[in-house]
Amino acid sequence: MLPMVSITTFLPLLGAALLVALRGATPRVAHGVGIATSGLTLLGAAWIWARGAPGGGFSQVEEIPWIPSLGAAYRVGVDGISLPLVLMTTILFFVSLVYSARVRERAGSYVALFLLLETASIGTFVALDAIVFYVFFEVTLVGMYFVIAGWGYEGRGRAALTFFLYTLLGSLPLLLAILGLYLASEPNTFDMRSYINSPPLSGLAAMLALIAMLVTFFVKIPVFPVHTWLPLAHTEAPTAGSVILAGVLLKLGTYGLIRFALQMTPDAFRAAAPYVAALAVFSALYGAFVALAQTDLKRLIAYTSVNHMGYVVLGVAVAAAADPGVRALALDGAVLQMVAHGFVTGALFLLVGMLQERAHTREMGKLGALLRTVPGLGWAFVLAAFASLGLPGLAHFPAEFQVFLGTFYVYPVAVVVVLGIAVTAGLYLRAMQASFLGETSEASAGMKDLGAREWLAAAPLLVLTVVLGVAPFLVLDVVHATTEVLLP
Amino acid sequence: MIASGFALLQGMEGMQQGMEGTGGGAEMQMGRDLALIAPEIAVVLTAVGALIFEMLRLPRVALPFTVIGLLVATGLTLPLLGTETTAFMDTFRIDPLSVWAKLVLLPATALCVVLAHGEVKDTDREGTVYALLSFTTVGALALAGAGDAMFVVLGVLLASLGSFALVAYPRDDRSTEAAMKYLVFGSVTSAVMIFGLTYWYGATASTLLSELGGLEGVPLAGAAGLVAVLVGLGYKAAIAPFHFWAPDAYDGAPLSVAAYLSVVPKVGAIFGLVQVLRDLPASGAAGWPLVVAILAVLSMTYGNLAALAQENVVRLLAYSSIAQSGYFLLGVVAWERGELALPSLVVFAAAYAAMNIGAFAVVMLAGRDLDDFAGLGRSAPATGAAMVVFLISLVGVPPLAGFVGKFLLFGAAIEAGFLWLAVIAILNSVLSLAVYLKVVVPMYRTPKEAPKHSGPVRAVWILALAATVSIGLATQILLGRIA
């Protein structure tokens, strides 16, 4: 059997190496290589998806021994949680590179960095060895630093550095937790499957490891109060960088939360679940309310990410505390929420980027009557915004509904988080009223509507948003097979 | 120089006393002993040969002769693999540590000789540089195999005398000042070391390191000698707080010499430290493992923090090498109680030699300032990529050599019950990412000027790159050889 997981993981890296080798490549060639590579990677991910993860456990496992006497090896594979995330990642990278085809400034390096990021992101999702996971996890950080620092807006230097320091320091505790798991496993190994099948830590050690992991993943997700890097990074990042940052990199945090915190220290997580749930509720509400105060569209979307990711954390916390039936329900919701957020927020950031290119501003007050001047862009944004606020029939609804239902069973009080939906609805309606209806403003006069390339980038995400909304079972069936048997 | 000469004299006196102590029968052993130190003899002959070719005004021959001589010495070491014995009445040890020191340091010296060729070719005294490099390596090897306190002294002096001259080689103000600092610092620390060693001699009535067990119950003499040895070898290995000479000396010296000093004498001194401490009772005055562990923390943390503030790549690498000494010390700490100590020290030494020499080779092409690295990744993608590999290997990123070495060191420390030390070392490794990214980040900005071209230097970084990657990937094979 072809090792499709490894091929898909390293294909983008190969493309990046090709671009480095072709150093005087024109932007045209560079973008061609980028789109072709990420397209092939997307096909590879589809192949992995088609093979599936029967039985819910890890399948399509590929393993190469490295230092057997120390239990270190290259191990990758997928299960029902990583499968949809891998597919989502490859889709988002493909549309980002399609959208980026107009980038002329150092196009070769730009595409190469995105391809490097793609390898690192896929690698993080498929890693089954703690060292491999950690390395990919850190490489995403370095890659994103360069993307923001190299192609961002005015304050990019400071934003990139904040992002880098924040997440670098944030990932240290994870390293210590991995060390603890390694030392406690018998025989010593970095095999994540072994940590999952028989959690090596217990008692205080498990709690300390859990706290360490929570710190790392909360920074990445991000959860209040360690979210402060996010709005800064998003405002300064180039559009495609924002798409990847919100669509893929934030998921690394929530994925780690399930894969590491929930699966490797289940008992400690069960004990800590009420506190995590409370923090998640607060973070979700906080994100919604702060988003309400924004007038910059990009910052607004950035803060709604804090809100949406809060629901994911809530779902995982509920799953940690619940009995198996409800656990599967809450986790299904959490995983679906990750995928939905990837597509919806990806689309929103793309559309805001297209808007900024035309109007040279993202201030709501300076835009107006966009539905009339640029109906294509306008309606696309309206669709994505409705999905983001949780309208039934669109991607977020089935996800959030399951999370809230699970929450209701376990922590009835925590259902106040539904308030977040109302606030999000309010803020999106306000944004639409200010920018998309009303009088034509100076900035929005004479704009052109979306071109073919822009449609090619945005349309797949919008279509997927609708598909996920009306047929969530397409993803849920795969996820559910795993969440049913996730914890022994 | 006077102080060193005095120290040398003292050392020789001690050697005579040592011989008297162990009695006669040396001649009968001579043939076997000479065979056991064949690699060292080959290096000395290489050095002498390089000098002769220099005197014959044949500098072109000196380079290949030295390189081949060093490689022959490496080849002569191979049959000794697995041997565990002593030579010259227990004063010199042929054990895995000293054999692997040769297998790592002799090729490393050869690489540095090739690097030096790029800087000193067509100057007068070209061959002298090769000879000095070889002689200094003999000193480092003497340290790595020391079985007697006098071998420790001899090793430090041999390694130092050549180094002083090498640093001063350019004969300009900067290098003279650097060499002067290095010399003064070296004279004082060597004197302190010899002074302290006399306490051990007084307490055990022998200069043999294997007799150090006799210090049990004599805590004061034991502690005095320990402090002295740490000062003397800590100076040679550039361990904080005995490192002050290193940034100035590296920066003042030719780059090839800096690369050499950061690897060969350092590894020799660290291995020498193991040879001394392995026989020292660990129980007295808080125990030497704890003392060494504290030095390790100091060295790692100070080295990384100071490196973070540097704008000059050579000084940055100098401070980084101080931090790397700290990681080395984890293996020393673990020697008493860890199975992993020996493999970890050997693998990290090989990894460190490869990645550090590689990094210095790229500095030779790019330039000493951080600004000189601007755009290197774009004007010379292959060289730039190699530099990135060396630097992230120094951080300790899998699957490169630096990761494997550090991983084994951390494992050894944990095995020996020093979990806290391993945790500090891990945190330091992550901190060091910021240090090395300081060099990487400007490499991908707009290029200022293309780097220099030099065939030999290119060959060195390619070899170092191959070693950095293959030591990382094939660790299991290496571990099998060491065990």
Side-chain angles (χ1 to χ4, degrees), chain B residues 281-426:
Chain B
S283 50
W288 61 261
L290 185 65
V291 178
V292 176
I294 291 168
L295 284 183
V297 172
L298 216 70
S299 224
M300 290 186 285
T301 316
Y302 176 79
N304 280 327
L305 288 178
L308 212 47
Q310 301 307 316
E311 291 300 320
N312 173 317
V313 181
V314 179
R315 296 185 78 87
L316 185 145
L317 286 175
Y319 282 107
S320 121
S321 88
I322 294 167
Q324 305 284 343
S325 299
Y327 301 122
F328 264 118
L329 289 184
L330 264 68
V332 181
V333 169
W335 192 270
E336 273 273 290
R337 279 178 284 169
E339 292 279 304
L340 277 176
L342 170 70
S344 70
L345 280 171
V346 171
V347 172
F348 192 64
Y352 175 72
M355 58 204 184
N356 224 37
I357 291 177
F360 270 105
V362 177
V363 176
M364 282 182 75
L365 295 176
R368 287 170 184 259
D369 272 323
L370 219 43
D371 283 346
D372 296 331
F373 275 77
L376 178 71
R378 283 196 244 157
S379 56
T383 318
M387 188 63 174
V388 173
V389 171
F390 294 134
L391 293 176
I392 63 175
S393 179
L394 281 165
V395 177
V397 173
L400 300 169
F403 167 77
V404 180
K406 275 190 182 179
F407 181 72
L408 290 165
L409 284 170
F410 299 163
I414 292 168
E415 199 185 30
F418 281 88
L419 181 62
W420 61 271
L421 182 58
V423 169
I424 294 177
I426 291 173

Side-chain angles (χ1 to χ4, degrees), chain A residues 126-166:
Chain A
V126 299
L128 292 184
D129 186 274
I131 292 184
V132 177
F133 179 92
Y134 189 77
V135 172
F136 281 131
F137 192 78
E138 292 289 85
V139 173
T140 59
L141 165 63
V142 176
M144 194 38 107
Y145 168 83
F146 282 112
V147 168
I148 299 177
W151 290 268
Y153 298 106
E154 306 79 33
R156 59 196 183 186
R158 190 172 141 249
L161 199 64
T162 313
F163 167 74
F164 183 76
L165 289 180
Y166 227 120

